[in-house]
Amino acid sequence: GSFCNMENAFSQLIKITESGEDVIPIVSYNVLSTDTRFISACDNISRIEKQCGRKVICTLEDAEPLGPKVKLDVLCICPCTGNTLAKLASGISDTPVTLAAKAHMRNDRPLVIALASNDSLSGNAENLGRMLARRNVFFVPMRQDDAFKKPRSLVCDFERLWETAEQAKKGI
């Protein structure tokens, strides 16, 4: 989700893949199937797959091996919505993204969250706090999105995703 931030996330995907990193793309059901004013689902999936050179993981069955069988150096959720944050904080794994994250964290591997949520400082503040306290969970630095028009909204500094992922791999 966080469709208004998909372009920010995609620009980071380009930087990461062009640096030579192997990226396994995982998408939520909403990203897979929702056409928005920003981009159609089909176009979004197509450009992700083209940039990564592989098909997106978009089912629970395909996401499940990412913890026990396929060990990732780091798993980044970018952008991470308030809904996904709440599911992670509550141990709910009903989407490919949350299942991959749960399996990944079960093996004490670093999880990077690039938060973009309009209710981070209200309804999701408790979930944010719970995830901040978890071991091996790292947040891309964030700020208020618009303190006057959206006073409870936080958005990460997408330009610092790569830096955060590199630090997370080192456990810093």
Coordinates of all heavy atoms in Angstrom, one line a residue, residues 99-153:
L99 N 4.0 -12.6 6.1 CA 4.4 -14.0 6.3 C 6.0 -14.1 6.1 O 6.7 -14.7 6.9 CB 3.7 -15.0 5.4 CG 4.1 -16.4 5.6 CD1 3.9 -16.9 7.0 CD2 3.4 -17.3 4.5
A100 N 6.4 -13.4 5.0 CA 7.9 -13.4 4.8 C 8.6 -12.8 6.0 O 9.6 -13.3 6.4 CB 8.2 -12.7 3.5
A101 N 8.1 -11.7 6.5 CA 8.7 -11.0 7.6 C 8.7 -11.9 8.9 O 9.7 -11.9 9.6 CB 8.0 -9.7 7.9
K102 N 7.6 -12.5 9.1 CA 7.5 -13.4 10.3 C 8.5 -14.5 10.2 O 9.3 -14.8 11.1 CB 6.1 -14.0 10.4 CG 6.0 -15.0 11.6 CD 4.6 -15.6 11.6 CE 4.5 -16.7 12.6 NZ 3.2 -17.4 12.5
A103 N 8.6 -15.2 9.0 CA 9.6 -16.3 8.8 C 11.0 -15.8 8.9 O 11.9 -16.4 9.5 CB 9.3 -16.9 7.5
H104 N 11.2 -14.6 8.4 CA 12.6 -14.0 8.4 C 13.0 -13.6 9.9 O 14.1 -14.0 10.3 CB 12.5 -12.7 7.6 CG 13.8 -12.0 7.4 ND1 14.8 -12.5 6.6 CD2 14.3 -10.9 8.0 CE1 15.9 -11.7 6.7 NE2 15.5 -10.7 7.5
M105 N 12.1 -13.0 10.6 CA 12.4 -12.6 12.0 C 12.5 -13.9 12.9 O 13.3 -13.8 13.9 CB 11.3 -11.7 12.6 CG 11.3 -10.3 12.0 SD 10.2 -9.2 12.8 CE 8.6 -9.9 12.6
R106 N 11.9 -14.9 12.6 CA 11.9 -16.2 13.4 C 13.4 -16.7 13.4 O 13.8 -17.3 14.3 CB 11.0 -17.2 12.8 CG 11.0 -18.5 13.5 CD 10.0 -19.5 12.9 NE 10.3 -19.8 11.6 CZ 9.4 -20.1 10.6 NH1 8.1 -20.0 10.9 NH2 9.7 -20.3 9.4
N107 N 14.1 -16.4 12.4 CA 15.5 -16.8 12.2 C 16.5 -15.7 12.7 O 17.7 -15.8 12.3 CB 15.8 -17.2 10.8 CG 15.1 -18.5 10.5 OD1 15.3 -19.5 11.1 ND2 14.2 -18.5 9.5
D108 N 16.0 -14.7 13.4 CA 16.9 -13.6 13.9 C 17.6 -12.9 12.8 O 18.8 -12.6 13.0 CB 17.9 -14.1 15.0 CG 17.2 -14.4 16.3 OD1 16.2 -13.7 16.6 OD2 17.6 -15.4 17.0
R109 N 17.0 -12.7 11.7 CA 17.5 -12.0 10.6 C 17.0 -10.5 10.6 O 15.9 -10.2 11.1 CB 17.1 -12.6 9.3 CG 17.3 -14.1 9.2 CD 18.7 -14.6 9.1 NE 19.3 -14.3 7.8 CZ 20.5 -14.6 7.5 NH1 21.3 -15.0 8.5 NH2 21.0 -14.3 6.3
P110 N 17.8 -9.5 10.1 CA 17.4 -8.1 10.2 C 16.2 -7.8 9.3 O 16.2 -8.1 8.1 CB 18.6 -7.4 9.8 CG 19.4 -8.3 9.0 CD 19.1 -9.7 9.5
L111 N 15.2 -7.1 9.9 CA 14.1 -6.6 9.2 C 14.2 -5.0 9.2 O 14.3 -4.4 10.3 CB 12.8 -7.0 9.9 CG 11.5 -6.4 9.4 CD1 11.2 -6.9 8.0 CD2 10.3 -6.7 10.3
V112 N 14.0 -4.4 8.0 CA 14.1 -3.0 7.9 C 12.7 -2.5 7.5 O 12.1 -3.0 6.5 CB 15.1 -2.5 6.8 CG1 15.0 -1.0 6.5 CG2 16.5 -2.9 7.3
I113 N 12.2 -1.5 8.3 CA 10.8 -1.0 8.0 C 11.0 0.4 7.5 O 11.6 1.3 8.2 CB 10.0 -1.1 9.3 CG1 9.8 -2.6 9.7 CG2 8.6 -0.4 9.1 CD1 9.0 -2.8 11.0
A114 N 10.4 0.7 6.3 CA 10.4 2.0 5.8 C 9.0 2.5 5.9 O 8.1 2.4 5.0 CB 10.8 2.0 4.3
L115 N 8.7 3.1 7.1 CA 7.3 3.5 7.4 C 6.8 4.7 6.6 O 7.5 5.6 6.4 CB 7.2 3.8 8.9 CG 5.9 4.0 9.5 CD1 5.0 2.7 9.4 CD2 6.0 4.4 11.0
A116 N 5.5 4.5 6.2 CA 4.8 5.6 5.6 C 3.3 5.5 6.0 O 2.6 4.7 5.4 CB 5.0 5.6 4.1
S117 N 2.9 6.2 7.0 CA 1.6 5.9 7.6 C 1.0 7.2 8.1 O 1.6 7.9 8.9 CB 1.6 4.9 8.7 OG 0.4 4.7 9.3
N118 N -0.3 7.5 7.8 CA -1.0 8.7 8.2 C -1.4 8.6 9.7 O -1.7 9.6 10.3 CB -2.2 8.9 7.4 CG -1.8 9.5 6.0 OD1 -0.8 10.1 5.8 ND2 -2.7 9.2 5.0
D119 N -1.4 7.4 10.3 CA -1.8 7.3 11.7 C -0.7 6.8 12.7 O -1.0 6.3 13.7 CB -3.0 6.5 11.9 CG -2.8 5.0 11.6 OD1 -1.8 4.6 11.0 OD2 -3.7 4.2 12.0
S120 N 0.6 7.0 12.3 CA 1.7 6.5 13.1 C 1.7 7.1 14.5 O 2.2 6.5 15.4 CB 3.0 6.9 12.4 OG 3.1 6.3 11.1
L121 N 1.3 8.4 14.6 CA 1.3 9.1 15.9 C 0.0 9.1 16.6 O -0.2 9.8 17.5 CB 1.9 10.5 15.7 CG 3.3 10.5 15.2 CD1 3.7 12.0 14.9 CD2 4.3 9.9 16.1
S122 N -0.9 8.2 16.2 CA -2.2 8.1 16.8 C -2.5 6.6 16.9 O -2.0 5.9 17.8 CB -3.3 8.9 16.1 OG -3.4 8.4 14.7
G123 N -3.4 6.1 16.1 CA -3.8 4.7 16.2 C -2.7 3.7 16.1 O -2.8 2.6 16.7
N124 N -1.7 4.0 15.4 CA -0.6 3.0 15.3 C 0.6 3.3 16.2 O 1.7 2.7 16.1 CB -0.1 3.0 13.8 CG -0.5 1.7 13.2 OD1 -0.4 0.6 13.7 ND2 -1.1 1.8 12.0
A125 N 0.5 4.3 17.0 CA 1.7 4.7 17.9 C 2.1 3.5 18.8 O 3.3 3.2 19.0 CB 1.3 5.9 18.8
E126 N 1.1 2.8 19.3 CA 1.4 1.6 20.1 C 2.2 0.5 19.3 O 3.1 -0.1 19.8 CB 0.1 1.0 20.7 CG 0.4 -0.2 21.6 CD -0.9 -0.8 22.1 OE1 -2.0 -0.2 22.0 OE2 -0.8 -1.9 22.6
N127 N 1.7 0.3 18.1 CA 2.4 -0.7 17.3 C 3.8 -0.3 16.9 O 4.7 -1.1 16.8 CB 1.6 -1.0 16.0 CG 0.2 -1.5 16.3 OD1 0.1 -2.4 17.2 ND2 -0.8 -1.0 15.7
L128 N 4.0 1.0 16.6 CA 5.3 1.6 16.4 C 6.2 1.3 17.6 O 7.3 0.8 17.4 CB 5.2 3.1 16.1 CG 6.5 3.8 15.8 CD1 7.3 3.2 14.7 CD2 6.2 5.3 15.6
G129 N 5.7 1.6 18.7 CA 6.5 1.4 19.9 C 6.9 -0.1 20.1 O 8.0 -0.4 20.5
R130 N 5.9 -1.0 19.9 CA 6.2 -2.4 20.0 C 7.2 -2.9 19.0 O 8.1 -3.7 19.4 CB 4.9 -3.2 19.8 CG 3.9 -3.0 21.0 CD 2.5 -3.5 20.7 NE 2.5 -5.0 20.6 CZ 1.4 -5.6 20.1 NH1 0.4 -4.9 19.7 NH2 1.5 -6.9 20.0
M131 N 7.2 -2.4 17.8 CA 8.2 -2.8 16.8 C 9.5 -2.2 17.1 O 10.6 -2.8 16.8 CB 7.7 -2.5 15.4 CG 6.5 -3.3 15.0 SD 6.7 -5.1 15.1 CE 8.0 -5.4 13.8
L132 N 9.6 -0.9 17.6 CA 10.8 -0.3 17.9 C 11.6 -1.1 19.0 O 12.8 -1.1 19.1 CB 10.6 1.1 18.4 CG 10.3 2.2 17.3 CD1 9.8 3.5 17.9 CD2 11.6 2.4 16.5
A133 N 10.8 -1.8 19.9 CA 11.4 -2.5 21.0 C 11.9 -3.9 20.6 O 12.5 -4.6 21.3 CB 10.4 -2.7 22.1
R134 N 11.6 -4.4 19.3 CA 11.9 -5.7 18.9 C 13.4 -5.8 18.5 O 13.9 -4.9 17.9 CB 11.0 -6.2 17.7 CG 9.6 -6.4 18.1 CD 9.1 -7.8 17.8 NE 7.8 -7.9 18.2 CZ 6.8 -8.2 17.4 NH1 7.0 -8.5 16.1 NH2 5.6 -8.4 17.9
R135 N 13.9 -7.0 18.8 CA 15.3 -7.2 18.4 C 15.4 -7.5 16.8 O 14.5 -8.1 16.3 CB 15.7 -8.5 19.1 CG 17.2 -8.8 18.9 CD 17.6 -10.0 19.9 NE 18.7 -10.6 19.3 CZ 18.8 -11.9 19.2 NH1 17.9 -12.7 19.7 NH2 19.9 -12.4 18.6
N136 N 16.4 -7.0 16.2 CA 16.7 -7.1 14.8 C 15.6 -6.4 13.9 O 15.5 -6.8 12.7 CB 16.8 -8.6 14.4 CG 18.1 -9.2 14.9 OD1 19.1 -8.5 15.0 ND2 18.0 -10.4 15.3
V137 N 14.9 -5.5 14.4 CA 14.0 -4.6 13.6 C 14.6 -3.2 13.6 O 14.9 -2.6 14.6 CB 12.6 -4.6 14.2 CG1 11.7 -3.7 13.5 CG2 12.0 -6.0 14.2
F138 N 14.8 -2.7 12.4 CA 15.4 -1.4 12.2 C 14.4 -0.6 11.4 O 13.8 -1.0 10.4 CB 16.7 -1.6 11.4 CG 17.7 -2.5 12.1 CD1 17.6 -3.9 12.0 CD2 18.6 -2.0 13.0 CE1 18.5 -4.7 12.6 CE2 19.5 -2.8 13.6 CZ 19.5 -4.2 13.5
F139 N 14.4 0.7 11.7 CA 13.5 1.7 11.0 C 14.4 2.6 10.2 O 15.4 3.1 10.7 CB 12.6 2.4 12.0 CG 11.4 1.7 12.5 CD1 11.5 0.8 13.5 CD2 10.2 1.9 11.9 CE1 10.4 0.1 13.9 CE2 9.1 1.2 12.3 CZ 9.2 0.3 13.3
V140 N 14.0 2.8 9.0 CA 14.5 3.9 8.2 C 14.2 5.2 8.9 O 13.0 5.4 9.3 CB 14.0 3.9 6.7 CG1 14.6 5.1 5.9 CG2 14.3 2.6 6.0
P141 N 15.1 6.1 9.1 CA 14.8 7.4 9.8 C 13.5 8.0 9.2 O 13.3 8.0 8.0 CB 16.0 8.2 9.6 CG 17.2 7.2 9.5 CD 16.5 6.1 8.7
M142 N 12.7 8.6 10.1 CA 11.4 9.1 9.7 C 11.2 10.5 10.3 O 11.9 10.9 11.3 CB 10.3 8.1 10.0 CG 10.2 7.7 11.5 SD 9.2 6.2 11.7 CE 10.2 5.3 12.9
R143 N 10.2 11.1 9.8 CA 9.8 12.5 10.2 C 8.3 12.6 10.0 O 7.7 11.8 9.4 CB 10.5 13.5 9.4 CG 10.2 13.4 7.9 CD 10.8 14.5 7.1 NE 10.6 14.3 5.7 CZ 9.5 14.3 5.0 NH1 8.4 14.6 5.6 NH2 9.5 14.1 3.7
Q144 N 7.8 13.7 10.6 CA 6.4 14.0 10.4 C 6.2 14.4 8.9 O 7.1 15.1 8.3 CB 5.9 15.2 11.2 CG 5.5 14.8 12.6 CD 4.8 15.9 13.3 OE1 5.5 16.8 13.8 NE2 3.5 15.8 13.5
D145 N 5.2 13.8 8.3 CA 5.0 14.1 6.9 C 4.5 15.5 6.6 O 5.1 16.2 5.8 CB 3.8 13.1 6.5 CG 3.6 13.1 5.0 OD1 4.4 13.7 4.2 OD2 2.6 12.4 4.6
D146 N 3.6 16.0 7.3 CA 3.1 17.4 7.2 C 2.5 17.7 8.6 O 1.3 17.4 8.8 CB 2.1 17.5 6.1 CG 1.6 18.9 5.9 OD1 1.6 19.7 6.8 OD2 1.1 19.2 4.8
A147 N 3.2 18.4 9.4 CA 2.8 18.6 10.8 C 1.5 19.4 10.9 O 0.8 19.3 11.9 CB 3.9 19.4 11.5
F148 N 1.1 20.2 9.9 CA -0.1 21.0 10.0 C -1.3 20.3 9.4 O -2.4 20.2 10.0 CB 0.1 22.4 9.4 CG 1.1 23.2 10.2 CD1 2.4 23.3 9.7 CD2 0.8 23.7 11.4 CE1 3.4 24.0 10.4 CE2 1.8 24.4 12.1 CZ 3.1 24.6 11.6
K149 N -1.1 19.7 8.2 CA -2.3 19.1 7.5 C -2.5 17.6 8.0 O -3.6 17.1 7.9 CB -2.1 19.2 6.0 CG -2.2 20.6 5.5 CD -2.0 20.6 4.0 CE -2.0 22.0 3.5 NZ -1.6 22.1 2.1
K150 N -1.3 17.0 8.3 CA -1.4 15.5 8.7 C -0.5 15.4 10.0 O 0.5 14.8 10.0 CB -0.9 14.6 7.6 CG -1.7 14.8 6.3 CD -1.3 13.7 5.3 CE 0.1 13.8 4.8 NZ 0.4 12.9 3.7
P151 N -1.0 15.9 11.1 CA -0.2 15.9 12.3 C 0.2 14.6 13.0 O 1.0 14.5 13.8 CB -1.0 16.8 13.3 CG -2.4 16.7 12.8 CD -2.3 16.5 11.4
R152 N -0.5 13.5 12.5 CA -0.2 12.2 13.1 C 0.5 11.3 12.1 O 0.6 10.1 12.3 CB -1.5 11.5 13.6 CG -2.1 12.3 14.8 CD -3.6 12.0 15.0 NE -4.1 12.8 16.0 CZ -4.5 14.1 15.8 NH1 -4.5 14.6 14.6 NH2 -5.0 14.8 16.8
S153 N 0.9 11.8 11.0 CA 1.5 11.1 9.9 C 3.1 11.1 10.0 O 3.7 12.1 10.3 CB 1.1 11.7 8.6 OG 1.7 11.0 7.5

